[in-house]
Structures are given as C-alpha cells and as structure tokens.
C-alpha cells in the first residue's frame, strides 16, 4: 500500500506567519510521530500520537508548536509566528505497535520549511 | 537520558572498500537499536535492527551486532558500492516501564561517499 505522505513538500514563509504541515500515515498505523531535521540539531523528536491522543509532547520546542490528529489518521503540525530558527525538514513517521516487540517506524519524505 | 554517538564524518571510500561506522549509546531502559539510511533526495529508510544483546541485524550486505558490554552497534559492510553513498543514522528506542512504544533517539548522522 501507500507509504507515509506529507504535504507540502516545500514551504517558504515569512517570519511571523503561521504554517500548517500535514501528514498522512500508512493506513492502519495507530502510532504517529513528528521529528525535525536541521543542520544544527540533527534529528529531533517532537511529538508522538497513539490514536488521537498525544502521550508524549516532550520534544515540542515552544508553545508556538502544536499538533493534532483526527480520526486516528491524518495529523497536522502547526507552527505559529514562525521564526528563522524553525527552518528545517519536518518528518512524519508511523508505525503499528505490537506489545512487547520493537516496531519499525516508516518515514515520510518530509516537508522542507524555510522561514525568510 | 538516552543518547547516541556516531563517528564523525564524512567518510569517503573507494568502491569495494570495507566500511565501518561506529555507534555507541547510552540508554535508561533496555534499548532496541537501529540503523537508518537516507539516500540523496529521499526519506529515511530502515536499514537494519537488533532487539537484544548479541543480536546481529543485516540487510543489503550491511551488518551490525548489538554489543551490550560495550554499548555499541557498529555498522559494517565488506565491499561498498557507489550506490551506498548516503547519510547513515544510528538510533535507539528505549523501552521502560512496560511501555511498548518509544521515540527514536538518533545519532548525528554520518555522510558516506563512495567513489568508483
């Protein structure tokens, strides 16, 4: 079936504007993750969803960042009042947890965000 | 907290050379270990994994052995090809408190370039 998809693939925005990034996980995958890949910080975890709830938001860098997931499927990451340091590639991953087993996270192609 | 340290890159090799990329980790729980690869212009792909001590993960000629005594998971390939040129990330998921999910903690990535 289809893999994880993300949109847009590229986004250029002016400092201070809000942006929304979208992730469509693999069908049936209950777990969804957002990560950020930047030159200075490498790959960082942002937030984890199980179903529609987010038991781990520990990686969100500030209260300008928020995310939601609806219907146990699509997720949106919103960045308000963007700053230049928000420029990065935002990656989404999904997986199907099996109790007691480590499970693979499948990554989307990412959204490259550039804040000017 | 959890952390992953990879050898500094970039690594440049000639085709058919032997490859080692070192990876060491610290983890609060009992981690599962992964190598992800990112080919130019593509998303992150799982290359191989190991779930317990002395397990060997292997795929596409790459191997890595989970060494608990040295907290290491070094990636090796006996004969690299030009098509192996990519960025390689060592990562872990640490399972604690009976949870069966976990965020990936990544190393900083190692750029590999293979010349003909």
């Amino acid at each position: 079936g289809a893999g994880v998809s993300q949109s847009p693939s590229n986004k250029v925005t002016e400092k201070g504007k809000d942006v929304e990034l979208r992730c469509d996980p693999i069908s049936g995958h209950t777990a969804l993750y957002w990560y950020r890949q930047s030159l200075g910080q490498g790959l960082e975890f942002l937030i984890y969803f199980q179903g529609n709830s987010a038991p781990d938001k520990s990686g969100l860098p500030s209260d300008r960042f928020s995310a939601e997931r609806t219907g146990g499927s699509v997720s949106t990451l919103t960045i308000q009042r963007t700053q230049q340091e928000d420029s990065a590639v935002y990656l989404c991953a999904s997986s199907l947890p099996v109790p007691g087993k480590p499970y693979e996270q499948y990554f989307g192609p990412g959204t490259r965000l550039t804040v000017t | 907290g959890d952390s992953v340290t990879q050898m500094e890159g970039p690594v440049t090799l000639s085709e058919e050379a032997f490859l080692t990329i070192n990876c060491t980790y610290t983890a609060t729980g009992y981690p599962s270990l992964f190598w992800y690869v990112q080919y130019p212009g593509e998303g992150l792909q799982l290359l191989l994994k190991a779930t317990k001590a002395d397990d060997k993960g292997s795929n596409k000629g790459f191997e890595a052995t989970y060494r608990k005594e040295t907290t290491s998971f070094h990636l090796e390939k006996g004969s690299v090809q030009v098509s192996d040129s990519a960025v390689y990330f060592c990562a872990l998921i640490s399972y604690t408190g009976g949870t069966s999910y976990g965020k990936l903690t990544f190393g900083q990535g190692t750029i590999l370039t293979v010349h003909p």
Side-chain angles (χ1 to χ4, degrees), chain A residues 10 17 19 25 32 35 47 55 57 73 77 86 93 99 103 110 113:
Chain A
N10 280 284
K17 301 284 189 183
V19 295
L32 186 148
Y35 296 87
I47 187 170
K57 306 177 184 179
S73 181
L77 177 68
D86 299 335
Y103 47 92
L113 174 67

Side-chain angles (χ1 to χ4, degrees), chain B residues 44-94:
Chain B
L44 275 171
Q45 302 174 25
L46 178 66
L47 180 60
L48 53 84
K49 65 184 178 186
T51 62
K52 61 183 186 296
D54 300 325
D55 266 3
K56 179 185 285 188
S58 61
N59 186 24
K60 300 181 179 179
F62 290 89
E63 293 183 339
T65 300
Y66 188 144
R67 300 288 187 199
K68 189 177 180 184
E69 64 276 14
T70 55
T71 61
S72 65
F73 193 55
H74 305 320
L75 182 68
E76 297 182 336
K77 187 174 186 182
S79 177
V80 293
Q81 305 300 311
V82 172
S83 58
D84 294 327
S85 298
V87 184
Y88 292 82
F89 294 91
C90 186
L92 68 82
I93 295 178
S94 188

Side-chain angles (χ1 to χ4, degrees), chain A residues 28-71:
Chain A
H29 279 193
T30 57
L32 186 148
Y33 298 79
W34 284 97
Y35 296 87
R36 179 169 73 172
Q37 185 175 21
S38 58
L39 279 175
Q41 302 298 323
L43 271 159
E44 306 171 280
F45 165 80
L46 297 178
I47 187 170
Y48 156 72
F49 286 92
Q50 179 59 42
N52 291 335
S53 63
D56 190 349
K57 306 177 184 179
S58 61
L60 294 178
S62 76
D63 58 8
R64 296 187 296 104
F65 287 72
S66 62
E68 65 175 11
R69 190 179 184 194
T70 54

Side-chain angles (χ1 to χ4, degrees), chain A residues 81-92:
Chain A
R81 305 181 302 281
T82 52
Q83 304 294 312
Q84 287 187 330
E85 62 262 29
D86 299 335
S87 296
V89 177
Y90 289 81
L91 297 172
C92 177

Side-chain angles (χ1 to χ4, degrees), chain B residues 96-115:
Chain B
T96 57
T99 61
S100 61
Y101 73 91
K103 61 189 181 187
L104 281 161
T105 298
F106 288 92
Q108 63 268 43
T110 301
I111 300 172
L112 171 66
T113 302
V114 181
H115 293 297

